[in-house]
């Protein structure tokens, strides 16, 4: 709740992006649109339920906006200079941490300039949070762009209860230890009371990094921090002993919102229209991803092309629709990925397409949720073949949409969703033969088996929705709040 006198909030979310992005049209007129990625989808309903403040960037460099209210949320823009966007966002966040945390699928860049900008921008976010959080309030810091914020914020505001959630994987120590600033990152995170991860394995990797860097023991997901300056711990970590908990809290989606959309006749009509526009094929396969090298889009295309080459699939009755939404387009690795993918699409279509039918229907756009739901409804087979993915909410969105208990989900075991969605056809996307077998099984699966699998998947997603995720996290965080007597004694 807001204290109107000085605009302080009991509940504050800190994320790299605001839930809306500022877009400026060619004629210079500004407007707001939902910002990309799973984080916003996951947190928006939480924010609506708890009147609170959300601190983040508008997505535009050098954009100095006043705080404003939108859809029951108080939004506090953090301005980033063009240089900060280049070095902190495109650089350290998306050219160092992103590839490193996704198992070095692409080579991370270790640059001291990137690091310095990351420290400076994390401080900017920490100061913004310190300025709006009410006394004893709760601050929930999100994702890999802001790993130093928990510690910086604790130093500024020791009265706060601080949670951190890492939406992407946390790598094994053998990889994490490449990072020249590994110690600073772990110290940054340990400023939180509760650190949430997507998978049990991610929490395990983080705890191992703590043990290796600080030469301490951890037990049952807990790190016992001694008071200031003892042992190998940093001086300003805390003025009293503290317990930090690291656990997995698999994120989910607003499943009810998807169910509500499927019930809309216009959405169903659109699904039928999509099938018709594609030439009424027997099988529609679908991939929906940000255009990112972690998503295994090339592996999916390779398997599909081989099935066409071997005559096991035929473009006369099958089509693969690939939605690749534009992402991080100024980062070199993303630019070359786009070139590679578009070259592959051209080759596959040139080789196997006919006048009447393309093999791959490739769309480099983002679409509104209604259109996505219509596509999910139309898709007989959903292909999620990520090489590494924190969760992959698209897999859950597909399942939530299939109120008809139909459709087959092919899901990479390297996506966090695989820990929960066990009735999907689980694949190792590096194993092209295995991927081809799974795609064929999906195409030929009986209606009875499709129904049995989808029912079980839907049960999981409908029960474990995003509301449950945030409640689980925030309840666990509240349980760690020091009692008044402990505070007084400190
Ligand atoms: C992933 C990350 C989010 C990020 C999103 C979109 O889902 O976990 O933190 O916002 O990708 O990426 P972008 O770089 O456009 O914010």
């Amino acid at each position: 709740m807001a204290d109107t006198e000085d605009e302080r909030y009991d509940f504050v979310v800190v994320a790299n992006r605001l839930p809306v992005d500022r877009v400026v049209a060619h004629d210079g007129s500004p407007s707001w649109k939902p910002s990309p990625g799973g984080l916003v989808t996951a947190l928006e309903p939480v924010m609506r339920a708890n009147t609170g403040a959300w601190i983040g960037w508008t997505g535009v460099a050098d954009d100095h906006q006043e705080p404003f209210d939108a859809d029951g949320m108080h939004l506090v823009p953090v301005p980033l200079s063009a240089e900060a966007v280049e070095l902190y966002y495109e650089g350290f966040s998306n050219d160092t941490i992103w590839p490193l945390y996704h198992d070095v699928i692409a080579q991370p860049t270790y640059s001291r300039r990137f690091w310095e900008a990351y420290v400076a921008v994390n401080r900017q976010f920490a100061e913004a949070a310190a300025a709006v959080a009410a006394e004893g309030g709760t601050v929930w810091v999100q994702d890999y762009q802001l790993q130093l914020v928990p510690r910086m914020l604790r130093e500024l505001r020791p009265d706060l209860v601080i949670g951190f959630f890492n939406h992407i994987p946390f790598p094994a120590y053998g990889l994490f230890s490449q990072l020249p600033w590994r110690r600073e990152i772990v110290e940054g995170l340990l400023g939180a009371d509760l650190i949430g991860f997507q998978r049990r394995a991610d929490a395990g990797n983080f705890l191992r990094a703590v043990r290796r860097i600080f030469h301490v023991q951890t037990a049952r997901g807990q790190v016992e921090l001694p008071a200031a300056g003892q042992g190998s711990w940093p001086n300003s970590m805390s003025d009293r002993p503290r317990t930090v908990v690291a656990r997995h809290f698999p994120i989910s989606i607003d499943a009810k919102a998807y169910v509500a959309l499927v019930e809309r006749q216009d959405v169903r009509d659109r699904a039928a229209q999509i099938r018709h526009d594609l030439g009424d094929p027997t099988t529609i396969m679908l991939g929906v991803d940000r255009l990112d090298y972690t998503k295994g889009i090339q592996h999916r295309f390779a398997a599909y092309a081989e099935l066409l080459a071997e005559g096991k699939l035929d473009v006369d009755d099958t089509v693969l629709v690939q939605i690749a939404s534009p992402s991080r387009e100024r980062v070199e690795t993303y630019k070359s990925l786009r070139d590679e993918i578009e070259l592959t699409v051209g080759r596959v279509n040139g080789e196997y397409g006919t006048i009447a039918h393309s093999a791959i229907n490739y769309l480099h756009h983002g679409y509104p949720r209604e259109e996505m739901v219509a596509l999910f409804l139309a898709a007989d087979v959903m292909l999620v073949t990520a090489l590494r993915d924190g969760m992959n909410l698209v897999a859950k969105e597909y399942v939530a949409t299939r109120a008809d208990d139909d459709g087959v989900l092919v899901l990479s075991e390297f996506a966090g969703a695989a820990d929960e969605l066990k009735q999907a056809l689980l694949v190792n996307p590096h194993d092209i033969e295995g991927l081809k077998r799974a795609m064929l099984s999906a195409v030929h699966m009986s209606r009875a088996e499709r129904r049995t699998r989808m029912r079980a998947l839907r049960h999981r997603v409908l029960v474990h929705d995003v509301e449950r995720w945030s409640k689980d996290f925030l309840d666990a965080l509240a349980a760690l709040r020091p009692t008044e007597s402990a505070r007084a004694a400190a």
Side-chain angles (χ1 to χ4, degrees):
M1 195 205 286
D3 171 345
T4 43
E5 288 247 304
D6 55 358
E7 296 270 334
R8 287 184 171 239
Y9 293 80
D10 289 330
F11 182 65
V12 178
V13 163
V14 190
N16 176 55
R17 282 182 186 272
L18 287 173
V20 286
D21 265 5
R22 193 170 147 83
V23 276
V24 181
H26 290 303
D27 63 4
S29 58
S31 60
W32 298 94
K33 65 161 201 204
S35 69
L39 192 146
V40 168
T41 329
L43 281 175
E44 219 175 344
V46 185
M47 285 300 290
R48 288 185 209 284
N50 300 266
T51 317
W54 183 315
I55 295 172
W57 171 49
T58 63
V60 175
D62 288 314
D63 190 20
H64 293 263
Q65 300 285 324
E66 288 303 312
F68 61 101
D69 292 318
D71 298 332
M73 295 180 274
H74 181 68
L75 307 186
V76 183
V78 173
L80 294 186
S81 67
E83 196 186 21
V85 172
E86 187 191 331
L87 302 177
Y88 146 81
Y89 169 71
E90 290 159 0
F92 199 79
S93 298
N94 290 313
D95 201 17
T96 306
I97 295 289
W98 182 270
L100 177 65
Y101 283 27
H102 288 87
D103 287 356
V104 189
I105 297 166
Q107 183 57 42
T109 302
Y110 298 117
S111 149
R112 283 162 282 187
R113 285 182 71 221
F114 287 2
W115 166 249
E116 282 155 21
Y118 187 78
V119 175
V121 172
N122 271 246
R123 190 164 301 287
Q124 233 184 306
F125 277 84
E127 284 167 359
V132 299
E135 176 70 22
T138 298
V139 178
W140 194 1
V141 184
Q142 308 291 328
D143 229 355
Y144 63 100
Q145 303 93 343
L146 300 175
Q147 295 172 98
L148 305 179
V149 170
R151 179 178 178 196
M152 291 173 170
L153 187 57
R154 182 165 298 281
E155 286 170 7
L156 292 166
R157 292 284 308 274
D159 59 296
L160 298 174
V161 175
I162 304 171
F164 180 91
F165 189 77
N166 193 53
H167 292 252
I168 69 172
F170 196 90
Y173 191 69
L175 292 175
F176 182 69
S177 56
Q178 288 183 9
L179 188 66
W181 308 278
R182 61 196 184 194
R183 186 184 169 100
E184 288 86 339
I185 291 288
V186 173
E187 286 176 3
L189 292 169
L190 285 173
D193 297 291
L194 176 62
I195 309 171
F197 295 91
Q198 300 282 25
R199 305 180 96 159
R200 188 187 296 277
D202 298 318
N205 287 342
F206 172 73
L207 289 163
R208 177 139 192 269
V210 171
R211 292 194 295 271
R212 292 293 300 267
I213 292 171
F214 296 107
H215 309 292
V216 292
Q217 299 293 315
T218 62
R220 295 182 313 281
Q222 296 198 354
V223 184
E224 302 297 340
L225 295 181
Q230 288 181 22
S232 58
W233 300 101
N235 275 328
S236 56
M237 206 59 175
S238 64
D239 54 359
R240 59 182 166 80
R242 283 199 305 125
T243 303
V244 179
V245 175
R247 256 186 54 195
H248 65 294
F249 294 87
I251 202 169
S252 193
I253 57 164
D254 184 0
K256 289 189 212 83
Y258 283 83
V259 173
L261 280 174
V262 189
E263 282 166 3
R264 263 171 50 182
Q265 193 56 45
D266 60 327
V267 173
R268 295 182 197 216
D269 289 348
R270 176 67 191 142
Q273 183 69 44
I274 288 171
R275 181 170 286 274
H276 182 68
D277 290 350
L278 288 168
D280 285 316
T282 312
T283 305
I284 299 174
M285 297 196 175
L286 176 65
V288 174
D289 310 84
R290 271 185 315 99
L291 207 161
D292 196 298
Y293 49 83
T294 59
K295 302 294 184 183
I297 299 172
Q298 294 284 44
H299 295 64
R300 188 180 310 168
F301 286 173
Y304 179 62
E306 284 190 23
L307 289 171
L308 292 174
E310 291 162 11
K312 293 180 177 147
L313 291 178
D314 186 336
V315 294
D316 287 338
D317 56 24
T318 306
V319 65
L320 169 57
V321 176
Q322 176 64 51
I323 312 282
S325 52
S327 189
R328 305 175 192 162
E329 293 190 284
R330 298 194 330 173
V331 179
E332 211 43 60
T333 334
Y334 288 77
K335 283 187 199 161
S336 37
L337 176 74
R338 181 172 176 192
D339 289 346
E340 282 163 29
I341 283 184
E342 295 184 353
L343 186 71
T344 306
V345 170
R347 283 205 176 135
V348 173
N349 281 337
E351 187 78 28
Y352 304 107
T354 63
I355 293 279
H357 304 290
S358 299
I360 302 176
N361 194 313
Y362 168 80
L363 300 155
H364 184 243
H365 298 292
Y367 290 95
R369 190 183 282 180
E370 284 82 353
E371 181 73 358
M372 294 315 305
V373 167
L375 270 161
F376 290 144
L377 263 186
D380 304 290
V381 178
M382 182 77 211
L383 299 173
V384 176
T385 56
L387 305 178
R388 183 52 82 190
D389 209 334
M391 174 54 64
N392 197 290
L393 293 180
V394 166
K396 292 189 173 181
E397 289 167 2
Y398 179 66
V399 166
T401 298
R402 299 312 302 247
D404 56 353
D405 290 332
D406 207 348
V408 183
L409 173 63
V410 174
L411 175 62
S412 166
E413 61 192 63
F414 300 111
D419 281 2
E420 297 172 82
L421 303 184
K422 296 200 189 299
Q423 296 78 10
L425 294 183
L426 294 180
V427 290
N428 167 4
H430 298 282
D431 171 11
I432 299 296
E433 284 306 322
L435 186 49
K436 285 161 64 183
R437 274 197 303 277
M439 286 163 80
L440 283 183
S441 313
V443 170
H444 298 301
M445 191 182 284
S446 70
R447 175 73 179 101
E449 187 176 349
R450 298 199 302 261
R451 184 184 298 119
T452 310
R453 286 179 184 266
M454 189 52 80
R455 275 197 181 150
L457 291 169
R458 278 178 56 75
H459 180 74
R460 173 78 206 183
V461 174
L462 293 180
V463 173
H464 293 264
D465 64 358
V466 74
E467 211 179 307
R468 169 119 177 221
W469 167 75
S470 60
K471 187 176 178 332
D472 284 352
F473 186 93
L474 293 172
D475 284 354
L477 185 58
L480 297 172
R481 177 181 284 280
T483 56
E484 279 312 314
S485 51
R487 268 173 195 271

